[in-house]
Amino acid sequence: MAAVRALVAPRLAAASAFAPLHAPAPRAALHSSAPRPRARVALVLSGCGVYDGTELHEASAVLVHLSRGGAEVQIFAPDVPQMHVIDHTKGQPSESETRNVLTESARIARGKITDLARLSAADHDAAIFPGGFGAAKNLLCCIAPVLAAKVLRGVEVTVGHEQEEGGKWPYAGTAEAIKALGAKHRVKGVTEAHVDQKNKVVTTPAFMCETALHHIHDGIGAMVKKVLELCGK
């Protein structure tokens, strides 16, 4: 289960707390030679591996599209023990192992990572949370779009379709959980992203859909593009 969610100023999240952020700097005048400022984006990871941490393909796709969009990225993860460790060859807990979320997330970040406790809303224009069960197990006990639904009442998010459609959308029931929290679910295809303009939250289904990897990649690209547009960069 995975989906990607992004928060844009002034709805940037630091852990479970939302903090206001300064408005994006005005764009340079048409005849000015000043370069356009780069969007400053925090990428929040929850480990390394879909069953007990961050979904690696989603995190990688986010980084690729942010790089293409010229964003300045800083990667964060909480310095806490993982809820448990899953043997990804079996899909079962490995009882003899313990791992640290920050240490595991550093694998994806190639070592360039910061403790989530040091994330300051004033330093970033947006935050992106890739999916993976680690978002539920190691962050706020819910997958990325549900995290937004729990924190922002009435927020609009998408996890894709609301019916399983023969197994194409195996986690379609998540839409009902989102509605039960008082949020609004918007049906979107896997290559699409939904923008909640009021709350400045952008979501895309990603691996909530059983489909080819390039479709997941394209949907994340659509989300990142919307995020950068909302940042005014």
Side-chain angles (χ1 to χ4, degrees), residues 18 21 57 66 77 113 121 158 171 193 199 204-205 209 213 219:
F18 286 79
L21 190 65
H57 294 290
L66 286 173
I113 196 164
T158 186
Y171 308 107
N199 290 294
T204 189
C209 181
L213 181 59

Side-chain angles (χ1 to χ4, degrees), residues 104-119:
E104 290 300 295
S105 299
R107 298 174 183 270
I108 301 173
R110 298 174 62 86
K112 297 179 180 179
I113 196 164
T114 304
D115 184 354
L116 183 60
R118 295 174 59 189
L119 191 156

Side-chain angles (χ1 to χ4, degrees), residues 49-129:
V50 61
Y51 297 131
D52 57 12
T54 294
E55 213 300 320
L56 277 78
H57 294 290
E58 292 187 9
S60 178
V62 169
L63 286 167
V64 167
H65 288 292
L66 286 173
S67 175
R68 182 171 287 132
E72 178 183 337
V73 183
Q74 188 173 5
I75 304 176
F76 295 86
D79 187 6
V80 297
Q82 285 188 190
M83 179 179 139
H84 59 191
V85 177
I86 297 294
D87 181 340
H88 280 58
T89 66
K90 301 175 182 177
Q92 298 176 351
S94 179
E95 302 296 344
S96 62
E97 288 189 71
T98 58
R99 299 188 183 185
N100 177 277
V101 177
L102 180 64
T103 302
E104 290 300 295
S105 299
R107 298 174 183 270
I108 301 173
R110 298 174 62 86
K112 297 179 180 179
I113 196 164
T114 304
D115 184 354
L116 183 60
R118 295 174 59 189
L119 191 156
S120 171
D123 295 333
H124 299 89
D125 300 305
I128 297 180
F129 297 75

Side-chain angles (χ1 to χ4, degrees), residues 154-167:
V155 68
E156 297 178 2
V157 297
T158 186
V159 290
H161 289 199
E162 298 182 352
Q163 303 296 324
E164 291 191 12
E165 300 177 17

